[in-house]
Amino acid sequence: MSRIGKNPIPIPQAVQVTVADGVVQVKGPKGALQHPLPAGINVAVEGAQVVVTRTGDLPSVRALHGLIRALLANAVSGVTAGFKRELDIVGVGYKAELKSPRELVLSLGFSHQVTYKAPEGVAISYDAKANRLTIEGIDKQRVGQVAAEIRNVRPPDVYKGKGVKYSDEVLKLKAGKTGA
């Protein structure tokens, strides 16, 4: 049995979980999320907790048991508290500008500005003094994907550390050329 999959997911007071037609719907104060259920995985709401079980012992079903439990736990915490990722923009003249809560214009040393449009359900905010971007939303996968796409526009340089990096990322800088 999966160590993660066998743990029940506690449901907070403000959250409603329903299972119908192979889809689990999680509604909370911040919004609603849906997750389809693969074949061989059963989800039941028992009192104030969600229990994930599997029908068989095939390796493909066993692999999905813990995954589905983790995705549902992330959905429950997402609709109650939400998720947040922070990015730091490091470099002289590197900056960002918000056109709307979902449209970002980045100036990162290229000959042109890069425009990024975030998907529905993800909000971006920018603190110009700290040169820090904050990405927030209820879907953990979407928030992480948006952060990764923005970081990928200009990843940190290995010699000077210039670029877009996660705020909790620790860079190990290489030594430059040594003069003779």
Side-chain angles (χ1 to χ4, degrees):
M1 184 116 203
S2 170
R3 292 182 192 168
I4 294 171
K6 69 180 178 182
N7 295 332
I9 304 165
I11 303 173
Q13 291 288 339
V15 177
Q16 179 185 8
V17 179
T18 56
V19 182
D21 299 329
V23 176
V24 179
Q25 186 165 20
V26 183
K27 290 182 184 175
K30 291 203 174 231
L33 291 173
Q34 291 184 357
H35 278 288
L37 289 176
I41 301 293
N42 295 326
V43 174
V45 179
E46 297 175 358
Q49 59 187 11
V50 177
V51 178
V52 180
T53 57
R54 61 178 189 245
T55 57
D57 231 14
L58 292 171
S60 59
V61 175
R62 288 175 46 199
L64 293 173
H65 188 198
L67 170 71
I68 295 300
R69 191 262 178 212
L71 291 174
L72 293 177
N74 286 340
V76 169
S77 63
V79 297
T80 54
F83 293 101
K84 177 169 76 167
R85 246 0 254 259
E86 292 182 338
L87 297 169
D88 289 337
I89 300 174
V90 181
V92 176
Y94 287 14
K95 61 184 177 181
E97 180 186 347
L98 282 175
K99 295 287 184 188
S100 72
R102 288 183 27 233
E103 188 173 352
L104 180 70
V105 177
L106 298 165
S107 299
L108 298 173
F110 298 121
S111 61
H112 60 281
Q113 293 181 329
V114 178
T115 303
Y116 181 80
K117 292 184 178 140
E120 193 70 37
V122 176
I124 300 174
S125 60
Y126 177 63
D127 179 15
K129 288 194 181 232
N131 223 8
R132 178 170 286 187
L133 290 168
T134 304
I135 299 130
E136 294 178 299
I138 60 172
D139 190 354
K140 187 175 187 177
Q141 191 274 332
R142 245 186 222 167
V143 169
Q145 184 67 36
V146 168
E149 288 171 358
I150 292 172
R151 182 186 182 275
N152 201 32
V153 172
R154 176 75 101 179
D157 178 34
V158 294
Y159 294 104
K160 295 183 180 178
K162 292 173 25 172
V164 180
K165 70 179 196 79
Y166 297 114
S167 62
D168 58 352
E169 183 177 13
V170 177
L171 299 174
K172 185 174 179 185
L173 300 179
K174 291 183 175 180
K177 290 183 179 177
T178 55

